[in-house]
Amino acid sequence: RGGGGGERVEGEIERARGAARAMGEEAAARMEARGYVGGEVTASCDFATDKEEPKDLIDFHEESSRLGTMILKKQWAEADALCRSMLARRPQFAEGWLTLGKIHRAPDGPGDAAEAERALRKVIYLRPDHAGAHMNLARLLLEQGRLADAGEHGRRASAIRPDYPEAQNVLGRILMQSDNPAAAIEHFRRALRIAPDEAETHNNLGL
């Protein structure tokens, strides 16, 4: 009976770990569908599930599901509070910082640009090769007229993911505002080759 009990415990632990891994894919898919992730979706939970208590992993999975639902319903204050609570307990959770940044970047969200920038830079600190964080930060900096910094992060996103149409579009817009329309159009055309149906690219090219 002791051996069977041990197997049951191991089974519970593995199910909890599986729930934590599934959290990244489930929540990210929800946010990508609403445009909050910016093309960089990952199922990585950014913490060691083998060192977590099964109950903690299950609780985290359930919180992440609630967070995704809040975002879909545009319950920004609740989503912000829950996301911050999760990050207070798991500050190395890069996708959580990305979510916080996107909450503050949502058109009808809290609109705290400084908070969004801080969160996106935290993602980059934790995961320097996160193309989505670089791209979203480039967009934010572009909106603020900080073209040199925006270009740096746009180029980084493009270098990490050459097939990333959003990165090509943001680079094109940066170059357009830098009075370099020929180079801008080349980036827009590159985005069109990558994703022919991308609405943003069509708008940028006047199609």
Side-chain angles (χ1 to χ4, degrees):
R1 280 194 300 271
E7 290 176 1
R8 283 194 296 274
V9 170
E10 287 299 319
E12 288 298 321
I13 291 173
E14 186 55 38
R15 278 192 289 276
R17 290 173 180 164
R21 289 190 293 269
M23 167 268 147
E25 183 176 354
E26 176 185 338
R30 290 186 184 188
M31 288 182 284
E32 184 190 30
R34 299 289 296 184
Y36 300 131
V37 176
E40 180 73 2
V41 180
T42 175
S44 171
C45 286
D46 299 293
F47 55 87
T49 59
D50 59 340
K51 296 179 181 179
E52 296 278 340
E53 291 294 327
K55 183 180 183 302
D56 292 340
L57 294 178
I58 292 170
D59 288 346
F60 187 74
H61 169 64
E62 291 175 349
E63 286 181 326
S64 299
S65 295
R66 291 205 311 274
L67 178 60
T69 299
M70 290 173 184
I71 288 172
L72 287 173
K73 292 181 177 179
K74 300 185 179 182
Q75 297 172 334
W76 301 119
E78 294 88 343
D80 180 71
L82 179 56
C83 194
R84 290 176 188 276
S85 174
M86 294 169 69
L87 288 169
R89 283 172 282 129
R90 289 184 170 84
Q92 303 304 308
F93 183 36
E95 292 300 320
W97 288 107
L98 181 64
T99 301
L100 183 62
K102 294 303 289 179
I103 287 170
H104 285 274
R105 292 279 294 139
D108 51 356
D112 188 334
E115 185 64 25
E117 180 176 348
R118 185 181 76 87
L120 291 170
R121 289 191 184 279
K122 181 70 172 181
V123 180
I124 293 168
Y125 172 77
L126 293 170
R127 291 177 52 191
D129 289 340
H130 197 300
H134 283 287
M135 189 279 297
N136 280 292
L137 183 55
R139 285 190 187 276
L140 174 62
L141 296 170
L142 171 63
E143 291 168 6
Q144 298 176 346
R146 298 157 63 183
L147 299 183
D149 287 346
E152 177 184 345
H153 288 284
R155 288 188 295 273
R156 183 66 178 138
S158 178
I160 296 167
R161 284 186 55 191
D163 62 344
Y164 195 1
E166 290 91 339
Q168 300 304 323
N169 275 310
V170 76
L171 280 170
R173 289 178 55 202
I174 291 165
L175 288 164
M176 193 67 77
Q177 290 196 24
S178 301
D179 296 322
N180 192 345
I185 289 170
E186 179 53 38
H187 280 284
F188 294 150
R189 288 175 175 166
R190 193 175 301 166
L192 189 64
R193 289 194 294 271
I194 296 168
D197 297 327
E198 186 79 23
E200 181 184 5
T201 307
H202 287 214
N203 289 335
N204 287 332
L205 285 170
L207 299 177

